[in-house]
Amino acid sequence: MSAMSNTNWDRRNVLRAAMGLAATGGLAACGGNTGRSGGSGEALVQYFHAYGEAGTEQAIKRYAAAYDKARVTTQWITGTNFESKLFSALLTKNAPDMFEFHPQIQMIKSGQVADLSDIMEPVKDDFNPADIASHTIDGKIWGVRMIDDPQFFYYRKSMLEDAGVEPPTTLDELVEAAAKLTTDKVKGVFLGNSITPVMNPLIWSTGANTLTDKNEIAYHTDEVAAGLKKLRTMFKDGHLLLDAPADWWDPSAITQGLVAIQWCGMWAMPVIQKALGDDVGIIPFPTSADGGKPAVTNGGWSMFVNAKSKNVDLAKEYVKWLWIDQKKYQEDWSLSYGFHIPPRTSLAESATKLKTGLPAEGVKLFNEFGHFDNPAWTQAMIVALESVIADTVRKGGDPEAALDKADKIVNRELKKLFG
């Protein structure tokens, strides 16, 4: 789900955090009773980042209150850097028993998360196979996916029609469209204030990937370098929105008419449709090289159990109860606040809100062009490629040099993980 304008951090980059974050201290500043003292019975604490959609915090707390085997307290963490606050807390005695995050190989290697195979095995055939694959490391399943979040371009149909522009199917067409759609009041395209959300889609749209199946660098190609130059053209020519009041995960840039085409997530679809009615369409990140194909980022969030919790078994029981047994809550979480694709196949198939119109198109793009989490893609690797965008698109540096620089960091990380 989205962090709307109440936060100002890019919380949707896949695999945003790393266990290796230097971290000290607890979470005093985050507020909220930890639930560890007073009252009777067992107590559990869970961490969630502050979702932007109205009603989400109340929903998570409502589900927790319905559980009768423990008092479950939710830390709803607002502000920036959910991941660093989470991983700081995991190093203290006030660590949460359960927390939401993305599948990451470091968490397993460092013994931070509990093996959830026993609760997942009986139901894994009812989960999206790609979600099971991204959460399976060393033959064990380490997390329970709660929501799948495709990200793609939204466009204003009327603005494209007025400019005589067809929805772009190639990156060259997107560059041309950005120029034609930019006026003194409207920018052509919004890729996020930092432009970094489209780094991975750019790689995928050339036909490349971040890593090979053997965990070697796969992103450093001539086609990716050429794609970076095309993004640079849009930046240099002033056709990108760069100072949006809220970042890319918030749909206000497109709903307020600041931009004609915006990269955002399916979570924002109800808000966008309410604001714009039928004057909105969606497209994947367009093909950017011969042999490439359009790309959609599949983000999302999963529930993990802290392996160092004093109540691992009880925490696992709660996670099973809520995210495996309680289908009505899972459906509510996916469909009542923003639009997300339920990772449970049975729920996805019965989700009437996603069956027609724009939501159905979003599901189709997710199924056809979506790329899921790679648990070997670490925070340091993410930051390395974010620097490539900064060095090339924003500063006009040589893509080859920037990619060479990233390679050193990525190879160092790969060596740490795989020897």
Side-chain angles (χ1 to χ4, degrees):
M1 297 184 184
S2 71
M4 298 291 190
S5 50
N6 64 337
T7 66
N8 62 348
W9 50 288
D10 184 349
R11 61 165 204 77
R12 287 212 171 252
N13 265 350
V14 178
L15 307 182
R16 199 55 204 144
M19 288 312 301
L21 287 171
T24 53
L27 264 180
C30 289
N33 170 18
T34 63
R36 291 189 183 276
S37 56
S40 60
E42 295 284 2
L44 293 171
V45 177
Q46 60 180 353
Y47 273 24
F48 277 76
H49 79 280
Y51 288 75
E53 295 91 328
T56 47
E57 181 179 4
Q58 294 78 3
I60 283 293
K61 291 178 176 176
R62 189 172 71 247
Y63 311 152
Y67 188 62
D68 58 10
K69 292 189 183 163
R71 281 180 303 114
V72 181
T73 308
T74 304
Q75 287 269 13
W76 190 256
I77 297 170
T78 58
T80 59
N81 294 324
F82 167 70
E83 62 274 12
S84 60
K85 288 174 180 175
L86 167 66
F87 287 113
S88 296
L90 286 171
L91 299 175
T92 72
K93 64 182 190 301
N94 291 321
D97 303 285
M98 302 86 64
F99 57 91
E100 67 168 357
F101 204 59
H102 317 284
Q104 255 210 2
I105 203 165
Q106 286 132 299
M107 294 198 300
I108 289 103
K109 285 190 179 283
S110 65
Q112 187 65 68
V113 294
D115 176 9
L116 302 186
S117 304
D118 54 339
I119 65 173
M120 283 297 291
E121 280 293 341
V123 291
K124 72 175 185 183
D125 290 347
D126 189 36
F127 275 78
N128 187 316
D131 282 323
I132 294 295
S134 66
H135 291 67
T136 302
I137 294 161
D138 297 334
K140 295 171 181 172
I141 304 172
W142 299 92
V144 183
R145 193 64 148 190
M146 299 181 292
I147 46 174
D148 282 323
D149 279 337
Q151 299 155 30
F152 33 63
F153 280 118
Y154 290 87
Y155 66 90
R156 291 286 296 270
K157 291 178 181 175
S158 58
M159 287 185 181
L160 268 65
E161 278 163 26
D162 291 348
V165 170
E166 290 293 318
T169 59
T170 67
L171 185 54
D172 287 327
E173 287 174 11
L174 183 69
V175 174
E176 284 170 36
K180 287 181 183 165
L181 291 163
T182 299
T183 68
D184 55 354
K185 293 189 179 63
V186 177
K187 291 290 186 183
V189 178
F190 184 40
L191 304 176
N193 287 329
S194 67
I195 314 172
T196 53
V198 296
M199 182 70 211
N200 281 15
L202 171 67
I203 292 165
W204 298 323
S205 72
T206 67
N209 207 336
T210 48
L211 298 172
T212 67
D213 292 343
K214 293 180 177 171
N215 293 311
E216 294 163 343
I217 286 171
Y219 59 80
H220 190 156
T221 67
D222 292 346
E223 290 77 15
V224 169
L228 288 163
K229 286 182 177 169
K230 290 169 188 178
L231 298 183
R232 169 67 183 169
T233 298
M234 288 193 283
F235 177 91
K236 186 174 86 258
D237 294 348
H239 302 151
L240 295 180
L241 179 66
L242 295 169
D243 50 2
D247 213 341
W248 67 279
W249 60 76
D250 182 309
S252 57
I254 195 164
T255 58
Q256 292 173 15
L258 304 177
V259 72
I261 301 174
Q262 174 176 347
W263 185 260
C264 194
M266 191 156 136
W267 58 84
M269 202 175 272
V271 171
I272 292 173
Q273 286 187 295
K274 192 177 175 189
L276 303 177
D278 293 332
D279 187 26
V280 62
I282 55 172
I283 50 168
F285 192 95
T287 307
S288 59
D290 292 339
K293 69 175 196 174
V296 167
T297 303
N298 286 340
W301 292 86
S302 310
M303 212 63 206
F304 296 91
V305 170
N306 179 5
K308 295 165 185 171
S309 161
K310 293 186 181 73
N311 291 309
V312 170
D313 290 341
L314 186 62
K316 282 171 68 170
E317 248 179 84
Y318 175 71
V319 169
K320 177 184 182 296
W321 173 81
L322 178 51
W323 298 111
I324 293 173
D325 300 339
Q326 302 301 314
K327 281 195 167 185
K328 65 177 187 213
Y329 292 150
Q330 294 156 36
E331 185 175 39
D332 182 62
W333 190 237
S334 285
L335 300 167
S336 297
Y337 310 98
F339 284 165
H340 314 265
I341 298 173
R344 299 289 291 270
T345 311
S346 53
L347 286 179
E349 284 170 357
S350 66
T352 50
K353 288 179 179 175
L354 306 181
K355 290 285 181 235
T356 56
L358 208 60
E361 281 183 54
V363 173
K364 188 168 179 279
L365 293 183
F366 168 86
N367 287 326
E368 213 172 325
F369 302 121
H371 293 260
F372 283 74
D373 296 314
N374 180 348
W377 192 246
T378 69
Q379 170 65 9
M381 297 178 195
I382 292 166
V383 171
L385 287 199
E386 287 177 346
S387 298
V388 169
I389 290 271
D391 291 347
T392 60
V393 181
R394 297 190 78 93
K395 296 176 189 164
D398 172 40
E400 275 304 323
L403 290 165
D404 284 341
K405 193 167 122 191
D407 291 352
K408 287 181 184 149
I409 296 162
V410 174
N411 278 323
R412 194 167 67 227
E413 285 292 295
L414 289 169
K415 198 167 182 206
K416 266 193 243 170
L417 287 178
F418 304 108

